[in-house]
Amino acid sequence: MTNAPQPLLQIEGLRAGVGGREILRGLDLEIAAGEIHALMGPNGSGKSTLSNVLMGHPDYEVGAGRVRLAGEDLLELSPEERARRGLFLAFQYPVAIPGVSVVQFLKAAVEAVRGRESVRAAAFLRELRETAAFLEIGEIFLNRPINEGFSGGEKKRMEILQMLMLRPRMVVLDETDSGLDIDALKVVARGVQRIAGPSAGVLVITHYERILNHIPPHRVHILLEGRIARSGGPELVAELERRGYDWLREPSAAPSG
Amino acid sequence: MSKAWNTVSEAPAIPLPPGTANEPPALSARRSEAARRAADLPPPAPHDEEWRRTDPARFPLDAWPPVHLEPRPPRPADADPLDEFFDVVIEMDGSGWSVRDRGGVTQSGRIAVLSLAEAAERHPDAVETLWTLEPAVRPRDRHEWAAMAAAAGVFIRVEPGAEFARGVLVRVRQPAGRWFCPLTMLDVSERSTLHVVSAILSEPGDGLAAETVRYRVGAGGRLRLARLQLCAGGPSQMEFVHGRLSEDAQLDAVSVHLGGAAVRSRVGAEAAGRGAGVRIGGLLLAAGTEQADQQTVQIHSAPDTTSDLLFKAAVRDRARSVYRGLIAAHRGAVRIAAYQKNQNLILNEGARVDSLPGLRIDADDLTCTHGATIGSLDPDELFYLRSRGLPESVARRLILEGFFEEIVSRLAMPALRDVVRRHLAERMDAPA
């Protein structure tokens, strides 16, 4: 009880990129269970690269560094193994899978992540309906092909629905607030608050402070040019809002040895 | 190999099955004519445009003894869980054919299930009409004539106004090492409804099967026709499906091809009466070294007719698939709407797809669209599914199932959809 909590997610000296171009240049980040962290940064700072690398997108190459989830090395694992260890990424641009209904997709995913034995068909459907209602997702959506023809807000709600059904312990929200109106944002925040708790960690990756008014972070990190340029408490959000990113660039932009 | 069956004297020989000698003279004459027409056409050469993408050597006409089907009583061993969804179950295999009238519907006089010979006696005009049906834009080739010469099977007629939505299941168990030509003739009278499902299964091994389906749908009639070819590891398959629709008649056809060393499929419909509507869906999954060649024709010979065709194919391993589509609008077929779409998925490098849509329009005032796509599994879709815990193999299968779902969902019966999904999954999961 008195020990310092072991970090749930631990990123050390992560260097990674895509297409031969290094984008993350020695990123360090630790998130403990029960904590909500925000990661903010301008376009091109490496936010999306980080979420892709964390989830194991095959196009991204890791040059150096370590990523551990509850002490276990993630980088050696396939995306599906990471999901089964409790990592969840809410995509910035969720893709549509034509002909695969939300129910069918989530049934397969829940069985893969939570185990086939632990999920009975009737209980699964009850939980799915209840969770959809909580997120104000009409039941008609559950039988439609996943994300096909969905609006931006519907897709993001669908991500949160998947998150709640898979019960991850570490959640990464990649610009989940982009393209959301205020009502949808509140629903998304409600979903995240439901999963956030003593045992789960949340990383909110965003451009804007707006989502952080609804999901107040314990810690805020600013990502610039592939590295954490500054970390602080929630007050950093207001400062960023006031001053922009430029004041942070000087020290980290200087070539280092 | 010595040949114990009859042949027409001119070379090259076209096999005629034994036991057809006692058929009604009109039918015998038609068989002989078909054998002669086949013999008159030159054997396919590899440089023929028609055969450029499938190997004629996989469809030899004289390598296997033909089968003639005699009627026999139903055998309890043939029963299958799927049967309970149908009123009538017809079995055909290398040793004969049988009818199980589960609902006693043939006693009603509203539906007749007859052998070809019986039908030639009792409904000579219908047999003659159905026998001679062929799309003018694509005359029968040598194999199709040869299949007619050796055809054995059933004639199903529904009387005017009768409804058989539960319908008829035709289960064909193709014997290995034979030249097997099952025939189904469907005579759907005006204002009547018929649902027919044919399922072709095969013994592992070689041989050659050519299925012929001929249909006509009278004014205001409706035919739902689902055809499943589940012959993975089995002989080469050919099919020749064509029919004609009268005024306001409707066809809803779905064909499913899941295996067969080589597949040549010819599917056609003619909307010949004003207001007739045609809907045709097809799915094909080829694996290993299988070759598939599918051709469709949608003929509009009357005004105010519609046709909507969607064929989907996926190929894995070193399989190849070619699709050729044709929409033909005859002069005077005004205010028609014709739609043709072919979508293809290449599952790995080394597999190959060709798609050649086509139009032949002699009418004006019409809407006609066609299109084709060829793609591979989308890596972003795969990553998305894997990020939700699904192993890559499951993710691939789910995407493929989704790709085909648009066709599978057109099957009227949930039990049938499950059969197709199960076979799809098996084909997907089978090692290369």
Side-chain angles (χ1 to χ4, degrees):
Chain A
M1 283 299 207
T2 53
N3 291 347
Q6 186 204 18
L8 178 63
L9 182 71
Q10 196 172 18
I11 305 174
E12 284 174 9
L14 184 62
R15 291 181 167 269
V18 64
R21 196 163 61 91
E22 190 180 68
I23 297 167
L24 299 180
R25 300 173 181 136
L27 185 143
D28 299 298
L29 189 63
E30 284 189 0
I31 298 175
E35 288 183 350
I36 298 174
H37 287 222
L39 182 71
M40 304 184 74
N43 280 333
S45 58
K47 300 193 301 294
S48 285
T49 299
L50 177 63
S51 59
N52 277 306
V53 168
L54 286 178
M55 202 68 241
H57 194 296
D59 288 354
Y60 288 77
E61 308 122 22
V62 175
R66 277 208 295 204
V67 177
R68 283 189 281 199
L69 184 66
E72 186 180 10
D73 191 352
L74 272 190
L75 294 177
E76 295 303 311
L77 302 178
S78 67
E80 56 269 33
E81 287 165 332
R82 297 178 197 204
R84 279 179 246 153
R85 301 289 194 284
L87 179 66
F88 182 90
L89 170 65
F91 282 70
Q92 183 179 4
Y93 302 111
V95 295
I97 317 277
V100 178
S101 74
V102 173
V103 174
Q104 190 188 358
F105 169 62
L106 266 173
K107 182 111 198 310
V110 165
E111 280 178 1
V113 170
R114 284 162 54 185
R116 190 181 285 265
E117 312 74 36
S118 68
V119 190
R120 297 246 159 269
F124 164 78
L125 280 177
R126 203 176 324 117
E127 184 183 340
L128 180 59
R129 290 207 187 93
E130 186 277 322
T131 312
F134 175 73
L135 297 172
E136 296 170 28
I137 294 170
E139 234 175 84
I140 192 163
F141 279 91
L142 303 181
N143 289 312
R144 283 176 50 185
I146 179 90
N147 294 330
E148 201 170 47
F150 289 12
S151 71
E154 287 160 356
K155 285 182 188 171
K156 297 299 172 74
R157 273 187 226 204
M158 218 32 91
E159 293 294 288
I160 300 304
L161 175 66
Q162 294 172 39
M163 177 190 80
L164 291 179
M165 291 300 293
L166 295 177
R167 302 181 185 166
R169 54 180 170 173
M170 181 66 223
V171 171
V172 179
L173 302 168
D174 187 3
E175 309 219 13
T176 298
D177 50 338
S178 64
L180 283 193
D181 63 34
I182 187 68
D183 292 331
L185 188 61
K186 281 181 180 166
V187 169
V188 164
R190 192 194 302 163
V192 174
Q193 296 294 1
R194 191 187 238 200
I195 202 116
S199 59
V202 177
L203 178 63
V204 184
I205 297 176
T206 183
H207 236 27
Y208 309 102
E209 87 292 353
R210 194 178 61 149
I211 190 173
L212 302 177
N213 297 330
H214 300 276
I215 309 175
H218 301 99
R219 298 280 293 164
V220 177
H221 312 275
I222 294 162
L223 184 64
L224 275 181
E225 288 156 14
R227 251 178 280 190
I228 302 293
R230 178 150 314 195
S231 295
E235 72 287 348
L236 201 50
V237 179
E239 190 165 9
L240 209 54
E241 184 65 7
R242 212 170 52 245
R243 301 174 65 182
Y245 289 107
D246 281 345
W247 62 284
L248 290 160
R249 278 186 205 280
E250 311 309 329
S252 70
S256 54
Chain B
M1 197 195 314
S2 79
K3 288 177 182 156
W5 61 91
N6 308 324
T7 59
V8 177
S9 52
E10 301 91 339
I14 298 300
L16 273 175
T20 54
N22 303 327
E23 288 180 335
L27 182 57
S28 293
R30 282 294 183 193
R31 281 194 196 279
S32 302
E33 184 212 1
R36 201 166 51 243
R37 297 287 291 268
D40 287 347
L41 290 165
H47 57 264
D48 290 352
E49 174 58 29
E50 275 282 306
W51 289 88
R52 243 178 52 199
R53 290 170 180 83
T54 40
D55 180 3
R58 295 196 184 196
F59 301 91
L61 275 178
D62 52 2
W64 317 104
V67 176
H68 182 62
L69 303 184
E70 293 294 344
R72 63 147 193 256
R75 299 182 304 202
D78 290 334
D80 183 278
L82 204 54
D83 297 356
E84 66 172 288
F85 299 99
F86 297 88
D87 284 329
V88 177
V89 178
I90 297 167
E91 302 275 350
M92 293 188 209
D93 58 34
S95 66
W97 73 285
S98 66
V99 182
R100 257 181 302 152
D101 181 357
R102 303 180 69 257
V105 293
T106 55
Q107 307 302 316
S108 69
R110 294 183 304 135
I111 184 169
V113 180
L114 306 170
S115 73
L116 194 52
E118 288 170 327
E121 299 267 6
R122 288 194 232 167
H123 301 282
D125 295 346
V127 170
E128 179 71 7
T129 301
L130 289 166
W131 185 282
T132 54
L133 265 182
E134 71 177 312
V137 291
R138 195 187 58 214
R140 292 176 191 179
D141 66 8
R142 188 167 187 267
H143 282 84
E144 188 169 1
W145 280 116
M148 293 300 287
V154 289
F155 170 93
I156 301 171
R157 176 180 160 84
V158 184
E159 295 301 319
E163 287 213 5
F164 290 95
R166 269 172 65 87
V168 178
L169 171 65
V170 183
R171 186 166 33 239
V172 180
R173 296 179 210 269
Q174 186 195 343
R178 308 294 290 274
W179 161 235
F180 187 52
C181 301
L183 167 79
T184 310
M185 284 186 169
L186 304 171
D187 189 16
V188 182
S189 302
E190 59 269 22
R191 292 172 286 103
S192 66
T193 299
L194 178 63
H195 180 207
V196 174
V197 174
S198 80
I200 299 201
L201 314 154
S202 60
E203 294 174 2
D206 48 16
L208 182 58
E211 186 194 14
T212 302
V213 178
R214 295 270 184 277
Y215 60 87
R216 67 172 182 182
V217 187
R222 178 151 197 232
L223 174 61
R224 286 194 88 128
L225 179 60
R227 298 172 40 267
L228 275 52
Q229 201 179 69
L230 310 168
C231 303
S236 295
Q237 306 284 324
M238 289 187 284
E239 60 177 22
F240 305 101
V241 181
H242 190 65
R244 176 189 278 243
L245 287 84
S246 299
E247 265 175 46
D248 298 320
Q250 284 178 53
L251 169 73
D252 193 340
V254 178
S255 67
V256 173
H257 292 277
L258 296 173
V263 172
R264 280 175 77 81
S265 162
R266 304 288 177 265
V267 172
E270 178 176 354
R274 188 171 204 153
V278 170
R279 191 161 177 252
I280 301 179
L283 82 77
L284 177 139
L285 174 58
T289 57
E290 291 172 359
Q291 297 179 348
D293 174 326
Q294 295 188 289
Q295 287 187 27
T296 63
V297 290
Q298 298 151 264
I299 303 172
H300 292 259
S301 53
D304 301 302
T305 48
T306 60
S307 69
D308 175 354
L309 180 139
L310 174 62
F311 263 51
K312 293 191 168 214
V315 287
R316 53 171 284 190
D317 309 328
R318 286 185 296 132
R320 58 204 317 203
S321 163
V322 56
Y323 170 81
R324 267 170 288 188
L326 180 63
I327 296 174
H330 292 183
R331 193 176 303 279
V334 292
R335 295 180 307 275
I336 66 166
Y339 179 79
Q340 178 199 101
K341 198 165 170 184
N342 174 229
Q343 295 179 320
N344 300 281
L345 204 49
I346 296 176
L347 298 171
N348 54 258
E349 269 180 47
R352 180 178 164 176
V353 160
D354 296 278
S355 181
L356 308 157
L359 299 176
R360 186 179 304 174
I361 306 297
D362 299 317
D364 42 34
D365 184 15
L366 49 81
T367 310
C368 200
T369 56
H370 66 113
T373 60
I374 299 176
S376 48
L377 285 179
D378 184 337
D380 289 333
E381 291 179 28
L382 272 175
F383 178 58
Y384 188 66
L385 293 175
R386 293 178 72 192
S387 80
R388 300 309 185 233
L390 303 178
E392 188 169 358
S393 61
V394 177
R396 290 169 68 93
R397 194 178 72 207
L398 208 56
I399 294 171
L400 191 75
E401 277 178 15
F403 173 70
F404 284 133
E405 181 58 26
E406 213 176 335
I407 304 297
V408 175
S409 64
R410 290 187 184 189
L411 294 167
M413 258 179 234
L416 212 55
R417 291 181 216 152
D418 290 342
V419 168
V420 172
R421 290 192 185 112
R422 200 173 64 236
H423 278 87
L424 263 178
E426 277 170 20
R427 290 228 95 192
M428 263 315 270
D429 291 346

